[in-house]
mmCIF file of all heavy atoms in Angstrom:
data_model
loop_
_atom_site.group_PDB
_atom_site.id
_atom_site.type_symbol
_atom_site.label_atom_id
_atom_site.label_comp_id
_atom_site.label_asym_id
_atom_site.label_seq_id
_atom_site.Cartn_x
_atom_site.Cartn_y
_atom_site.Cartn_z
ATOM 1 N N ALA A 69 3.547 5.689 -12.322
ATOM 2 C CA ALA A 69 2.503 5.606 -13.358
ATOM 3 C C ALA A 69 1.170 5.177 -12.733
ATOM 4 O O ALA A 69 0.109 5.722 -13.072
ATOM 5 C CB ALA A 69 2.928 4.623 -14.443
ATOM 6 N N ALA A 70 1.224 4.218 -11.815
ATOM 7 C CA ALA A 70 -0.009 3.733 -11.174
ATOM 8 C C ALA A 70 -0.669 4.855 -10.373
ATOM 9 O O ALA A 70 -1.891 5.040 -10.412
ATOM 10 C CB ALA A 70 0.306 2.544 -10.270
ATOM 11 N N ALA A 71 0.161 5.630 -9.657
ATOM 12 C CA ALA A 71 -0.378 6.733 -8.855
ATOM 13 C C ALA A 71 -0.980 7.805 -9.756
ATOM 14 O O ALA A 71 -2.069 8.320 -9.483
ATOM 15 C CB ALA A 71 0.720 7.318 -7.971
ATOM 16 N N GLN A 72 -0.277 8.127 -10.832
ATOM 17 C CA GLN A 72 -0.775 9.152 -11.753
ATOM 18 C C GLN A 72 -2.086 8.729 -12.404
ATOM 19 O O GLN A 72 -3.038 9.513 -12.504
ATOM 20 C CB GLN A 72 0.270 9.455 -12.840
ATOM 21 C CG GLN A 72 1.206 10.575 -12.419
ATOM 22 C CD GLN A 72 2.596 10.474 -13.036
ATOM 23 O OE1 GLN A 72 2.853 9.602 -13.867
ATOM 24 N NE2 GLN A 72 3.488 11.342 -12.618
ATOM 25 N N ASP A 73 -2.138 7.482 -12.793
ATOM 26 C CA ASP A 73 -3.354 6.957 -13.418
ATOM 27 C C ASP A 73 -4.543 7.071 -12.447
ATOM 28 O O ASP A 73 -5.625 7.507 -12.825
ATOM 29 C CB ASP A 73 -3.102 5.496 -13.817
ATOM 30 C CG ASP A 73 -4.306 4.883 -14.491
ATOM 31 O OD1 ASP A 73 -4.684 5.388 -15.566
ATOM 32 O OD2 ASP A 73 -4.892 3.936 -13.934
ATOM 33 N N ALA A 74 -4.297 6.683 -11.204
ATOM 34 C CA ALA A 74 -5.387 6.713 -10.214
ATOM 35 C C ALA A 74 -5.844 8.138 -9.931
ATOM 36 O O ALA A 74 -7.041 8.402 -9.792
ATOM 37 C CB ALA A 74 -4.936 6.031 -8.921
ATOM 38 N N ILE A 75 -4.901 9.053 -9.854
ATOM 39 C CA ILE A 75 -5.275 10.435 -9.535
ATOM 40 C C ILE A 75 -6.061 11.046 -10.702
ATOM 41 O O ILE A 75 -7.013 11.794 -10.497
ATOM 42 C CB ILE A 75 -4.037 11.268 -9.131
ATOM 43 C CG1 ILE A 75 -4.423 12.336 -8.107
ATOM 44 C CG2 ILE A 75 -3.374 11.947 -10.311
ATOM 45 C CD1 ILE A 75 -3.261 12.921 -7.359
ATOM 46 N N GLU A 76 -5.681 10.681 -11.919
ATOM 47 C CA GLU A 76 -6.412 11.198 -13.075
ATOM 48 C C GLU A 76 -7.821 10.625 -13.164
ATOM 49 O O GLU A 76 -8.768 11.309 -13.517
ATOM 50 C CB GLU A 76 -5.637 10.923 -14.367
ATOM 51 C CG GLU A 76 -4.728 12.097 -14.709
ATOM 52 C CD GLU A 76 -3.560 11.704 -15.590
ATOM 53 O OE1 GLU A 76 -3.725 10.799 -16.432
ATOM 54 O OE2 GLU A 76 -2.478 12.312 -15.416
ATOM 55 N N LYS A 77 -7.939 9.340 -12.803
ATOM 56 C CA LYS A 77 -9.259 8.704 -12.908
ATOM 57 C C LYS A 77 -10.170 9.045 -11.740
ATOM 58 O O LYS A 77 -11.374 9.241 -11.915
ATOM 59 C CB LYS A 77 -9.100 7.179 -12.964
ATOM 60 C CG LYS A 77 -8.621 6.672 -14.311
ATOM 61 C CD LYS A 77 -8.610 5.160 -14.312
ATOM 62 C CE LYS A 77 -8.121 4.615 -15.639
ATOM 63 N NZ LYS A 77 -7.416 3.330 -15.432
ATOM 64 N N CYS A 78 -9.602 9.080 -10.515
ATOM 65 C CA CYS A 78 -10.462 9.149 -9.322
ATOM 66 C C CYS A 78 -10.262 10.395 -8.461
ATOM 67 O O CYS A 78 -10.936 10.546 -7.446
ATOM 68 C CB CYS A 78 -10.247 7.915 -8.460
ATOM 69 S SG CYS A 78 -10.704 6.414 -9.288
ATOM 70 N N GLY A 79 -9.315 11.241 -8.833
ATOM 71 C CA GLY A 79 -9.122 12.472 -8.074
ATOM 72 C C GLY A 79 -8.180 12.313 -6.900
ATOM 73 O O GLY A 79 -7.511 11.289 -6.750
ATOM 74 N N ALA A 80 -8.154 13.323 -6.046
ATOM 75 C CA ALA A 80 -7.115 13.406 -5.018
ATOM 76 C C ALA A 80 -7.391 12.520 -3.799
ATOM 77 O O ALA A 80 -6.520 11.794 -3.336
ATOM 78 C CB ALA A 80 -6.947 14.852 -4.576
ATOM 79 N N GLY A 81 -8.587 12.587 -3.265
ATOM 80 C CA GLY A 81 -8.847 11.863 -2.021
ATOM 81 C C GLY A 81 -9.893 10.778 -2.191
ATOM 82 O O GLY A 81 -10.536 10.664 -3.240
#
Side-chain angles (χ1 to χ4, degrees):
Q72 270 151 5
D73 181 62
I75 212 163
E76 268 156 34
K77 284 185 181 149
C78 297

